[in-house]
Amino acid sequence: MSALAREPYGPRGDPGRHRSLAELRSGLQALAPEPMIRGSLAGIVRRLADGSRERLTEAELCTEHGLVGDGWTRRRPRDPEAQIAVMRHAVAELIGNGQPLGLSGDNLYVDLDISADNLPPGTHLRVGEALVEVTPKPHNGCAKFHARFGDDALRFVQAAATRRLNLRGIFWRVIESGRITAGAEIIVLR
């Protein structure tokens, strides 16, 4: 696996970069629609034991370990429904407002429509050599997300009006191991 950069993380993001709810809503409206069937893998981030994040150019997705070397394997009990955390790349950048991509705590950042209408639980996707499945577990903002991005960001991702868009992200589980690379095509298998 080759790494791009290792970024240290504290418990908080930069409060000076927190966007208001109005800015987030406006920014969402300005985003281009994402592809629905064929997208791409914009970023891979591994969460390390010391709390830092490692951006990777390639990695292994494994049925037993998820993203090999990621913090998911160190959590007990491991929740197979939350094996791989996925977020729409453009939304992560909107919320992060210049902060490091991995600050949200997700593994994969995608250029793909991850809404509940496009990717309901049980949907299979080919990501590089791996095969993954969308799990039914909701990916909600938590205390860490709140600390890193602020009150308005948490309200933004949890808003009932946009909840089906999965702005905070979704979870995948690996059903066929394989290599992935940044920029790899993602194919939704119906």
Side-chain angles (χ1 to χ4, degrees):
M1 289 180 230
S2 89
L4 282 175
R6 188 170 171 167
E7 300 165 333
Y9 288 86
R12 294 196 167 299
D14 178 359
R17 295 199 175 267
H18 292 178
R19 289 194 158 146
S20 71
L21 190 54
E23 290 171 316
L24 291 166
R25 287 178 177 157
S26 175
L28 180 64
Q29 294 300 317
L31 294 179
E34 295 286 1
M36 297 179 76
I37 303 296
R38 291 182 179 268
S40 62
L41 182 56
I44 307 167
V45 177
R46 182 169 42 201
R47 301 165 295 188
L48 302 176
D50 65 1
S52 66
R53 306 290 194 268
E54 186 175 38
R55 290 194 60 187
L56 304 170
T57 56
E58 59 185 20
E60 180 81 18
L61 293 184
C62 171
T63 56
E64 185 180 345
H65 301 289
L67 178 68
V68 174
D70 181 61
W72 180 81
T73 61
R74 292 183 295 279
R75 293 185 185 143
R76 297 289 185 255
R78 285 189 259 181
D79 182 354
E81 298 292 305
Q83 194 177 44
I84 305 289
V86 179
M87 191 170 186
R88 187 174 155 198
H89 180 239
V91 172
E93 287 190 333
L94 172 66
I95 293 169
N97 192 23
Q99 297 182 86
L101 184 62
L103 187 62
S104 65
D106 297 283
N107 301 116
L108 304 180
Y109 296 86
V110 301
D111 293 325
L112 181 71
D113 178 350
I114 64 169
S115 70
D117 293 334
N118 194 51
L119 299 182
T123 300
H124 289 190
L125 302 97
R126 177 70 61 189
V127 183
E129 297 173 355
L131 186 64
V132 298
E133 179 181 59
V134 177
T135 74
K137 183 176 184 77
H139 192 4
N140 301 313
C142 62
K144 290 178 186 176
F145 185 87
H146 176 261
R148 292 171 181 157
F149 303 112
D151 294 334
D152 284 351
L154 187 61
R155 282 196 290 274
F156 176 67
V157 300
Q158 292 181 340
T162 56
R163 187 63 186 106
R164 293 194 58 74
L165 298 177
N166 290 324
L167 297 176
R168 177 58 195 98
I170 59 175
F171 289 110
W172 292 347
R173 72 177 182 91
V174 182
I175 57 176
E176 185 178 299
S177 300
R179 305 255 342 132
I180 59 171
T181 58
E185 184 175 49
I186 299 172
I187 302 170
V188 178
L189 305 172
R190 300 268 181 215

mmCIF file of all heavy atoms in Angstrom, residues 61-64 83-84 122-126 129-135 172-178 189:
data_model
loop_
_atom_site.group_PDB
_atom_site.id
_atom_site.type_symbol
_atom_site.label_atom_id
_atom_site.label_comp_id
_atom_site.label_asym_id
_atom_site.label_seq_id
_atom_site.Cartn_x
_atom_site.Cartn_y
_atom_site.Cartn_z
ATOM 1 N N LEU A 61 -9.125 -4.000 0.328
ATOM 2 C CA LEU A 61 -10.377 -4.211 1.048
ATOM 3 C C LEU A 61 -10.499 -5.712 1.260
ATOM 4 O O LEU A 61 -10.307 -6.491 0.326
ATOM 5 C CB LEU A 61 -11.578 -3.690 0.261
ATOM 6 C CG LEU A 61 -11.678 -2.180 0.054
ATOM 7 C CD1 LEU A 61 -12.974 -1.828 -0.668
ATOM 8 C CD2 LEU A 61 -11.565 -1.421 1.356
ATOM 9 N N CYS A 62 -10.803 -6.098 2.488
ATOM 10 C CA CYS A 62 -10.786 -7.501 2.878
ATOM 11 C C CYS A 62 -12.084 -7.855 3.609
ATOM 12 O O CYS A 62 -12.550 -7.071 4.444
ATOM 13 C CB CYS A 62 -9.566 -7.724 3.769
ATOM 14 S SG CYS A 62 -9.473 -9.303 4.575
ATOM 15 N N THR A 63 -12.639 -9.026 3.319
ATOM 16 C CA THR A 63 -13.888 -9.437 3.957
ATOM 17 C C THR A 63 -13.753 -9.508 5.470
ATOM 18 O O THR A 63 -14.696 -9.214 6.192
ATOM 19 C CB THR A 63 -14.370 -10.797 3.423
ATOM 20 O OG1 THR A 63 -13.334 -11.762 3.608
ATOM 21 C CG2 THR A 63 -14.742 -10.704 1.952
ATOM 22 N N GLU A 64 -12.589 -9.881 5.968
ATOM 23 C CA GLU A 64 -12.396 -10.026 7.410
ATOM 24 C C GLU A 64 -12.003 -8.727 8.099
ATOM 25 O O GLU A 64 -12.424 -8.447 9.213
ATOM 26 C CB GLU A 64 -11.324 -11.076 7.697
ATOM 27 C CG GLU A 64 -11.159 -11.358 9.171
ATOM 28 C CD GLU A 64 -10.101 -12.410 9.445
ATOM 29 O OE1 GLU A 64 -9.690 -13.134 8.518
ATOM 30 O OE2 GLU A 64 -9.678 -12.493 10.605
ATOM 31 N N GLN A 83 -18.318 -1.660 8.547
ATOM 32 C CA GLN A 83 -16.949 -2.049 8.197
ATOM 33 C C GLN A 83 -16.201 -0.956 7.433
ATOM 34 O O GLN A 83 -15.047 -0.664 7.729
ATOM 35 C CB GLN A 83 -17.000 -3.338 7.365
ATOM 36 C CG GLN A 83 -15.676 -4.021 7.209
ATOM 37 C CD GLN A 83 -15.810 -5.324 6.430
ATOM 38 O OE1 GLN A 83 -16.512 -5.379 5.409
ATOM 39 N NE2 GLN A 83 -15.152 -6.362 6.906
ATOM 40 N N ILE A 84 -16.837 -0.344 6.460
ATOM 41 C CA ILE A 84 -16.222 0.704 5.633
ATOM 42 C C ILE A 84 -17.131 1.930 5.675
ATOM 43 O O ILE A 84 -18.298 1.859 5.293
ATOM 44 C CB ILE A 84 -16.070 0.254 4.160
ATOM 45 C CG1 ILE A 84 -15.290 -1.055 4.047
ATOM 46 C CG2 ILE A 84 -15.444 1.362 3.322
ATOM 47 C CD1 ILE A 84 -13.827 -0.957 4.361
ATOM 48 N N GLY A 122 -28.315 -3.262 0.632
ATOM 49 C CA GLY A 122 -28.274 -4.476 -0.176
ATOM 50 C C GLY A 122 -27.691 -4.272 -1.556
ATOM 51 O O GLY A 122 -27.367 -5.240 -2.249
ATOM 52 N N THR A 123 -27.544 -3.010 -1.989
ATOM 53 C CA THR A 123 -26.962 -2.727 -3.298
ATOM 54 C C THR A 123 -25.502 -3.179 -3.313
ATOM 55 O O THR A 123 -24.754 -2.930 -2.378
ATOM 56 C CB THR A 123 -27.024 -1.219 -3.618
ATOM 57 O OG1 THR A 123 -28.390 -0.799 -3.612
ATOM 58 C CG2 THR A 123 -26.405 -0.911 -4.978
ATOM 59 N N HIS A 124 -25.097 -3.840 -4.388
ATOM 60 C CA HIS A 124 -23.709 -4.260 -4.570
ATOM 61 C C HIS A 124 -23.003 -3.282 -5.498
ATOM 62 O O HIS A 124 -23.605 -2.777 -6.450
ATOM 63 C CB HIS A 124 -23.639 -5.661 -5.160
ATOM 64 C CG HIS A 124 -24.044 -6.729 -4.197
ATOM 65 N ND1 HIS A 124 -23.866 -8.064 -4.453
ATOM 66 C CD2 HIS A 124 -24.607 -6.671 -2.968
ATOM 67 C CE1 HIS A 124 -24.304 -8.784 -3.437
ATOM 68 N NE2 HIS A 124 -24.769 -7.943 -2.524
ATOM 69 N N LEU A 125 -21.724 -3.049 -5.201
ATOM 70 C CA LEU A 125 -20.901 -2.166 -6.020
ATOM 71 C C LEU A 125 -19.541 -2.813 -6.238
ATOM 72 O O LEU A 125 -18.996 -3.458 -5.336
ATOM 73 C CB LEU A 125 -20.686 -0.809 -5.329
ATOM 74 C CG LEU A 125 -21.925 -0.011 -4.958
ATOM 75 C CD1 LEU A 125 -22.291 -0.238 -3.504
ATOM 76 C CD2 LEU A 125 -21.681 1.461 -5.203
ATOM 77 N N ARG A 126 -18.984 -2.610 -7.407
ATOM 78 C CA ARG A 126 -17.618 -3.028 -7.709
ATOM 79 C C ARG A 126 -16.747 -1.797 -7.530
ATOM 80 O O ARG A 126 -16.986 -0.760 -8.141
ATOM 81 C CB ARG A 126 -17.531 -3.567 -9.129
ATOM 82 C CG ARG A 126 -16.163 -3.966 -9.582
ATOM 83 C CD ARG A 126 -15.604 -5.187 -8.931
ATOM 84 N NE ARG A 126 -16.378 -6.394 -9.159
ATOM 85 C CZ ARG A 126 -16.147 -7.545 -8.533
ATOM 86 N NH1 ARG A 126 -15.174 -7.626 -7.638
ATOM 87 N NH2 ARG A 126 -16.886 -8.604 -8.765
ATOM 88 N N GLU A 129 -10.968 -3.955 -7.568
ATOM 89 C CA GLU A 129 -11.122 -5.405 -7.616
ATOM 90 C C GLU A 129 -12.110 -5.924 -6.574
ATOM 91 O O GLU A 129 -12.468 -7.098 -6.592
ATOM 92 C CB GLU A 129 -9.764 -6.082 -7.376
ATOM 93 C CG GLU A 129 -8.730 -5.766 -8.428
ATOM 94 C CD GLU A 129 -7.359 -6.310 -8.055
ATOM 95 O OE1 GLU A 129 -7.187 -6.845 -6.937
ATOM 96 O OE2 GLU A 129 -6.450 -6.191 -8.893
ATOM 97 N N ALA A 130 -12.522 -5.086 -5.643
ATOM 98 C CA ALA A 130 -13.370 -5.520 -4.530
ATOM 99 C C ALA A 130 -14.851 -5.406 -4.871
ATOM 100 O O ALA A 130 -15.262 -4.594 -5.701
ATOM 101 C CB ALA A 130 -13.067 -4.683 -3.292
ATOM 102 N N LEU A 131 -15.634 -6.226 -4.174
ATOM 103 C CA LEU A 131 -17.081 -6.157 -4.268
ATOM 104 C C LEU A 131 -17.595 -5.804 -2.877
ATOM 105 O O LEU A 131 -17.216 -6.432 -1.890
ATOM 106 C CB LEU A 131 -17.659 -7.505 -4.718
ATOM 107 C CG LEU A 131 -19.161 -7.551 -4.989
ATOM 108 C CD1 LEU A 131 -19.542 -6.652 -6.155
ATOM 109 C CD2 LEU A 131 -19.595 -8.990 -5.267
ATOM 110 N N VAL A 132 -18.444 -4.782 -2.803
ATOM 111 C CA VAL A 132 -18.972 -4.314 -1.523
ATOM 112 C C VAL A 132 -20.490 -4.278 -1.581
ATOM 113 O O VAL A 132 -21.084 -4.303 -2.659
ATOM 114 C CB VAL A 132 -18.414 -2.922 -1.143
ATOM 115 C CG1 VAL A 132 -16.890 -2.961 -0.985
ATOM 116 C CG2 VAL A 132 -18.826 -1.864 -2.159
ATOM 117 N N GLU A 133 -21.091 -4.186 -0.385
ATOM 118 C CA GLU A 133 -22.541 -4.115 -0.273
ATOM 119 C C GLU A 133 -22.911 -2.978 0.670
ATOM 120 O O GLU A 133 -22.294 -2.816 1.728
ATOM 121 C CB GLU A 133 -23.072 -5.435 0.283
ATOM 122 C CG GLU A 133 -24.575 -5.477 0.457
ATOM 123 C CD GLU A 133 -25.034 -6.798 1.026
ATOM 124 O OE1 GLU A 133 -24.598 -7.160 2.135
ATOM 125 O OE2 GLU A 133 -25.832 -7.467 0.346
ATOM 126 N N VAL A 134 -23.915 -2.200 0.310
ATOM 127 C CA VAL A 134 -24.430 -1.144 1.176
ATOM 128 C C VAL A 134 -25.154 -1.807 2.337
ATOM 129 O O VAL A 134 -25.998 -2.684 2.134
ATOM 130 C CB VAL A 134 -25.397 -0.212 0.410
ATOM 131 C CG1 VAL A 134 -25.983 0.851 1.339
ATOM 132 C CG2 VAL A 134 -24.693 0.438 -0.779
ATOM 133 N N THR A 135 -24.824 -1.405 3.576
ATOM 134 C CA THR A 135 -25.487 -1.976 4.750
ATOM 135 C C THR A 135 -26.648 -1.073 5.178
ATOM 136 O O THR A 135 -26.690 0.103 4.821
ATOM 137 C CB THR A 135 -24.501 -2.145 5.928
ATOM 138 O OG1 THR A 135 -24.222 -0.876 6.506
ATOM 139 C CG2 THR A 135 -23.224 -2.847 5.496
ATOM 140 N N TRP A 172 -20.466 0.435 4.048
ATOM 141 C CA TRP A 172 -20.362 -0.723 3.172
ATOM 142 C C TRP A 172 -19.718 -1.854 3.949
ATOM 143 O O TRP A 172 -18.963 -1.618 4.883
ATOM 144 C CB TRP A 172 -19.471 -0.437 1.974
ATOM 145 C CG TRP A 172 -19.998 0.542 0.979
ATOM 146 C CD1 TRP A 172 -21.265 1.026 0.871
ATOM 147 C CD2 TRP A 172 -19.250 1.170 -0.072
ATOM 148 N NE1 TRP A 172 -21.358 1.910 -0.185
ATOM 149 C CE2 TRP A 172 -20.130 2.017 -0.783
ATOM 150 C CE3 TRP A 172 -17.932 1.093 -0.482
ATOM 151 C CZ2 TRP A 172 -19.727 2.767 -1.881
ATOM 152 C CZ3 TRP A 172 -17.530 1.847 -1.579
ATOM 153 C CH2 TRP A 172 -18.429 2.679 -2.273
ATOM 154 N N ARG A 173 -20.013 -3.061 3.537
ATOM 155 C CA ARG A 173 -19.251 -4.211 4.018
ATOM 156 C C ARG A 173 -18.649 -4.888 2.795
ATOM 157 O O ARG A 173 -19.228 -4.857 1.700
ATOM 158 C CB ARG A 173 -20.116 -5.164 4.846
ATOM 159 C CG ARG A 173 -21.116 -5.962 4.085
ATOM 160 C CD ARG A 173 -21.875 -6.932 5.017
ATOM 161 N NE ARG A 173 -22.799 -7.727 4.239
ATOM 162 C CZ ARG A 173 -22.512 -8.911 3.698
ATOM 163 N NH1 ARG A 173 -21.330 -9.440 3.859
ATOM 164 N NH2 ARG A 173 -23.417 -9.560 2.991
ATOM 165 N N VAL A 174 -17.479 -5.473 2.986
ATOM 166 C CA VAL A 174 -16.760 -6.115 1.885
ATOM 167 C C VAL A 174 -17.282 -7.540 1.742
ATOM 168 O O VAL A 174 -17.284 -8.305 2.709
ATOM 169 C CB VAL A 174 -15.238 -6.112 2.153
ATOM 170 C CG1 VAL A 174 -14.497 -6.750 0.971
ATOM 171 C CG2 VAL A 174 -14.737 -4.692 2.408
ATOM 172 N N ILE A 175 -17.722 -7.887 0.545
ATOM 173 C CA ILE A 175 -18.192 -9.255 0.311
ATOM 174 C C ILE A 175 -17.254 -10.030 -0.617
ATOM 175 O O ILE A 175 -17.374 -11.244 -0.730
ATOM 176 C CB ILE A 175 -19.655 -9.283 -0.193
ATOM 177 C CG1 ILE A 175 -19.846 -8.477 -1.459
ATOM 178 C CG2 ILE A 175 -20.590 -8.794 0.891
ATOM 179 C CD1 ILE A 175 -21.263 -8.569 -2.025
ATOM 180 N N GLU A 176 -16.319 -9.332 -1.253
ATOM 181 C CA GLU A 176 -15.270 -9.978 -2.052
ATOM 182 C C GLU A 176 -14.027 -9.106 -1.950
ATOM 183 O O GLU A 176 -14.049 -7.941 -2.349
ATOM 184 C CB GLU A 176 -15.726 -10.107 -3.510
ATOM 185 C CG GLU A 176 -14.797 -10.863 -4.402
ATOM 186 C CD GLU A 176 -15.365 -10.963 -5.818
ATOM 187 O OE1 GLU A 176 -16.456 -11.551 -5.979
ATOM 188 O OE2 GLU A 176 -14.727 -10.430 -6.749
ATOM 189 N N SER A 177 -12.965 -9.652 -1.382
ATOM 190 C CA SER A 177 -11.731 -8.889 -1.170
ATOM 191 C C SER A 177 -11.103 -8.474 -2.494
ATOM 192 O O SER A 177 -11.289 -9.133 -3.521
ATOM 193 C CB SER A 177 -10.724 -9.732 -0.384
ATOM 194 O OG SER A 177 -11.249 -10.098 0.872
ATOM 195 N N GLY A 178 -10.333 -7.376 -2.442
ATOM 196 C CA GLY A 178 -9.626 -6.937 -3.639
ATOM 197 C C GLY A 178 -8.906 -5.624 -3.432
ATOM 198 O O GLY A 178 -9.139 -4.906 -2.455
ATOM 199 N N LEU A 189 -23.930 -2.205 -9.226
ATOM 200 C CA LEU A 189 -24.463 -3.421 -9.822
ATOM 201 C C LEU A 189 -25.916 -3.566 -9.372
ATOM 202 O O LEU A 189 -26.186 -3.722 -8.202
ATOM 203 C CB LEU A 189 -23.633 -4.637 -9.374
ATOM 204 C CG LEU A 189 -22.134 -4.515 -9.644
ATOM 205 C CD1 LEU A 189 -21.389 -5.667 -9.002
ATOM 206 C CD2 LEU A 189 -21.849 -4.437 -11.130
#
